[in-house]
Amino acid sequence: MIASELLAQAAFLDGREPQSFPFFGVERRGAPVTAFARIDDRPIQLRTSIEHPDVVVVLDPGLLHTTPVTDGLKEGGLLLVNSRLPPEEVVAPASVRRATVDATRIAVAHGLGTASTPIVNTAVLGALAKAAGVVTLDAVQRAIDQFVPGHRPENRLASSDGYESVRLAGPMEHGAPVLAHRLTPLITVPEGPLATRPSSDLHTAAWRTLTPVVHLEKCTRCNFCWKFCPDDAIGFDSNGFPVIRLDYCKGCGICAAECPPRTIEMVAEA
Amino acid sequence: MAKLTIPAQELMYSGHAACPGCAAALAMRLVLKGLGPRTVVSIPACCWTVIATPYPTNALGVSVFDNPIESTGASLSGLRAAADALGYKDFHVVGFAGDGGTADIGLQALSGMLERRTNAIYVMYDNEGYMNTGVQRSGATPQGAWTTTTPVEGTSRGKPEAKKDIMGLVLAHRPTYAATLNPAFPEDFVRKVEKARDLTGSRFLHVFTPCPPGWKYSSEESIKLGRLATDSGIFPLFEAENGKVRITRKGGALKPVDEYIHAQGRFRHFTPEDIQAFQAEVRLAWERLLRLEKESL
């Protein structure tokens, strides 16, 4: 959301006509969100969501496994992913150019956010300036100076690092029809006003940055982890040991904090 | 495996849209454990309307009724009348509303429902602000707390006014049952829900639900903060049956409020004098409660 706003501000500083707005869905800490930006040389009258973008930017690589992010992306369009993988390893539809930048590493190196919740916006915008050429790096850095409330030197350096280190690859020879194996079943909207599906049809694994790992040798089977879980994401095996249901765990860490013998460890996702 | 100390049945599904570490989500899970499946939950505009029903899904294994923010109390009177007319026996009519939708915007409807002695359970989950819309102050926000509408900058130093005494307002209506509940104490929590379930008449449950993004603390600390709030006397646990007050958790001397205050970003600007003033208010409220327990009839 902030990245799309900053992109629009940078485009404005470049003398262009930008527009930026979020998609109003579930705005929850960790929940996947979508934001749009349009950039043109003439004033933009269109006020709708973007269904066929030229560029898709993915800030959280975990989304590649849960969300069809390239749906609607134009032929010859660009997919930029925050990922440590080389762009050749990003699975995308044929005709889509791919780019990756390890914005998480850059953000952590500059002390932006924490290792579990890095603030990757400025590193990604630097990469976008290079990979898509829709704004200049200079404008991105001037936008940082004007609109980012804190850590300006660090954010400027992160944008430069993103600009320098972004890697590009052409389209796949045999592109995949969908981005990746889809974990979340797409919901078909029923007729009528009633909500008829259980929320457990929706997986919330993508919200997580830390994953609980239970060290069973120390577990006393006291049930505290189960009792305090706000997501009902903990069950038991036939011997009464806790089993974390990772499709639903949001990684809040309450189970680890409340476990009396401290048998649960919160581990950063790979 | 140790024996379960709260019911095993789960009527809140996973996959709901609450923030990680949301105590209000845990509160719903515990309320439904106590009530069982013969329940309709009326939810006004609040965090839970977003948590429960991203269309076309429902996070609850019971019927959910969405109603406008000011009308939870009125909706309970209507739902009860409908249930009675249809001859539904052992059917629980439950409101589940936030502090803004109860102590501020929904106060009139709540008062009306209590005056009519509607046979229903009203649950107010108290995250001490309008958290669903991005952390604005409510009548239930504690004095001095930072919110986006009571900032800490310029001449503003957090919320100037004290937290509204919602239990006092409710008890003035002399409902059948009213209690304070805290998900950090699940056994006491479920016991009170079950007690409310088995009584007839207007019942009110005030539930303390720490909010990681709104109070600015790390999500794993929701239970720790709940425990501190009760053990420091900031959110004492008590119940009132037909007006007779009983404190349900007295752990000897109260803890100083310091640890609770220091654990939250919304109080980061507090000076030692601010903490002292907060402490004095807490002590006074606790003494008033002790007196109420002794003197209430």
Side-chain angles (χ1 to χ4, degrees):
Chain A
M1 221 137 282
I2 301 286
S4 121
E5 220 173 285
L6 214 51
L7 170 64
Q9 296 289 7
F12 185 73
L13 293 173
D14 268 338
R16 310 194 69 192
E17 294 281 349
Q19 190 186 64
S20 132
F21 49 98
F23 172 77
F24 285 105
V26 177
E27 277 183 48
R28 288 285 188 262
R29 185 182 272 193
V33 292
T34 306
F36 304 103
R38 278 193 184 93
I39 298 172
D40 204 340
D41 291 321
R42 293 166 302 169
I44 302 168
Q45 306 296 343
L46 204 57
R47 288 285 188 274
T48 61
S49 311
I50 299 172
E51 290 185 4
H52 299 289
D54 296 293
V55 182
V56 168
V57 181
V58 178
L59 268 54
D60 174 359
L63 293 175
L64 296 181
H65 303 291
T66 57
T67 312
V69 290
T70 52
D71 277 7
L73 181 56
K74 281 183 189 163
E75 207 161 298
L78 173 72
L79 170 66
L80 169 63
V81 184
N82 165 24
S83 168
R84 67 181 73 151
L85 295 176
E88 290 79 9
E89 290 182 30
V90 172
V91 183
S95 89
V96 168
R97 291 175 298 130
R98 295 158 294 165
T100 56
V101 62
D102 193 350
T104 300
R105 185 192 55 76
I106 295 171
V108 171
H110 292 293
L112 301 171
T114 63
S116 64
T117 44
I119 311 293
V120 298
N121 293 334
T122 46
V124 166
L125 283 183
L128 182 67
K130 174 85 157 282
V134 287
V135 283
T136 60
L137 179 63
D138 176 58
V140 168
Q141 299 192 329
R142 280 190 291 146
I144 289 171
D145 281 337
Q146 289 189 27
F147 301 105
V148 172
H151 298 288
R152 283 176 187 156
E154 292 82 0
N155 275 299
R156 270 199 306 272
L157 286 172
S159 67
S160 300
D161 285 2
Y163 189 89
E164 296 301 333
S165 65
V166 64
R167 292 177 289 177
L168 285 148
M172 297 181 80
E173 206 170 311
H174 304 288
V178 291
L179 237 193
H181 162 63
R182 185 176 286 158
L183 294 176
T184 305
L186 277 186
I187 285 190
T188 46
V189 177
E191 288 179 21
L194 291 174
T196 51
R197 306 276 298 266
S199 62
S200 46
D201 280 5
L202 304 168
H203 290 182
T204 45
W207 297 35
R208 192 167 66 227
T209 54
L210 296 173
T211 300
V213 175
V214 190
H215 297 291
L216 291 178
E217 64 281 3
K218 287 193 288 177
C219 174
T220 61
R221 296 182 286 182
C222 69
N223 317 325
F224 273 44
C225 53
W226 167 79
K227 206 156 55 176
F228 289 118
C229 179
D231 289 287
D232 183 26
I234 300 179
F236 302 111
D237 68 13
S238 53
N239 295 314
F241 285 108
V243 179
I244 315 275
R245 301 195 296 138
L246 290 173
D247 283 345
Y248 301 111
C249 171
K250 291 174 188 155
C252 71
I254 286 179
C255 55
E258 294 306 317
C259 173
R262 294 275 181 271
T263 68
I264 302 177
E265 192 186 346
M266 299 304 290
V267 179
E269 299 258 306
Chain B
M1 181 170 130
K3 201 165 158 284
L4 297 185
T5 50
I6 54 174
Q9 76 172 345
E10 300 287 355
L11 290 163
M12 183 194 79
Y13 303 131
S14 305
H16 61 65
C19 298
C22 174
L26 181 55
M28 177 67 91
R29 183 173 167 234
L30 295 174
V31 163
L32 291 182
K33 276 178 181 294
L35 293 178
R38 297 273 298 158
T39 298
V40 59
V41 182
S42 175
I43 302 179
C46 61
C47 282
W48 249 102
T49 196
V50 176
I51 298 170
T53 52
Y55 183 79
T57 67
N58 177 2
L60 305 183
V62 299
S63 293
V64 176
F65 181 81
D66 274 312
N67 65 268
I69 189 163
E70 70 280 18
S71 49
T72 306
S75 80
L76 298 187
S77 296
L79 286 165
R80 171 50 69 191
D84 287 349
L86 292 166
Y88 290 1
K89 305 259 185 254
D90 305 322
F91 190 74
H92 309 298
V93 173
V94 180
F96 204 87
D99 48 287
T102 302
D104 295 346
I105 300 174
L107 188 59
Q108 174 276 133
L110 170 65
S111 176
M113 167 217 159
L114 294 173
E115 186 205 2
R116 288 187 292 274
R117 302 262 175 263
T118 294
N119 182 18
I121 301 173
Y122 193 117
V123 181
M124 172 178 113
Y125 65 100
D126 188 357
N127 51 27
E128 303 194 322
Y130 291 88
M131 299 319 189
N132 190 41
T133 46
V135 196
Q136 292 84 22
R137 59 86 83 194
S138 79
T141 303
Q143 194 157 23
W146 167 92
T147 68
T148 56
T149 45
T150 56
V152 179
E153 60 188 51
T155 54
S156 169
R157 296 201 27 89
K159 188 192 176 197
E161 301 86 5
K163 182 180 172 87
K164 225 182 238 192
D165 178 10
I166 186 70
M167 281 299 277
L169 286 165
V170 168
L171 288 175
H173 293 75
R174 297 193 70 80
T176 308
Y177 184 69
T180 59
L181 291 74
N182 185 337
F185 302 94
E187 290 79 14
D188 178 82
F189 189 115
V190 173
R191 184 191 65 76
K192 285 170 177 164
V193 173
E194 289 171 342
K195 186 162 188 179
R197 177 194 66 193
D198 296 338
L199 292 166
T200 306
S202 294
R203 292 145 285 166
F204 183 86
L205 306 177
H206 179 182
V207 183
F208 189 73
T209 55
C211 170
W215 301 7
K216 299 199 172 294
Y217 64 88
S218 185
S219 59
E220 76 276 7
E221 298 195 323
S222 283
I223 306 300
K224 182 186 108 176
L225 275 178
R227 222 169 8 238
L228 277 174
T230 290
D231 290 344
S232 315
I234 295 160
F235 190 82
L237 293 181
F238 64 99
E239 61 187 359
E241 219 178 322
N242 293 312
K244 175 72 192 151
V245 171
R246 187 174 78 88
I247 298 171
T248 57
R249 184 179 169 85
K250 274 188 203 162
L254 295 181
K255 276 190 177 180
V257 298
D258 301 56
E259 198 182 341
Y260 179 79
I261 295 288
H262 289 314
Q264 300 171 61
R266 63 175 173 159
F267 297 125
R268 189 170 293 135
H269 56 288
F270 268 33
T271 61
E273 293 74 41
D274 290 333
I275 297 180
Q276 253 174 30
F278 195 95
Q279 179 71 71
E281 284 300 320
V282 166
R283 198 170 294 128
L284 205 64
W286 175 250
E287 280 162 16
R288 272 198 299 269
L289 182 64
L290 287 173
R291 198 174 319 137
L292 197 62
E293 183 184 41
K294 210 181 280 173
E295 294 170 1
S296 62
L297 301 167

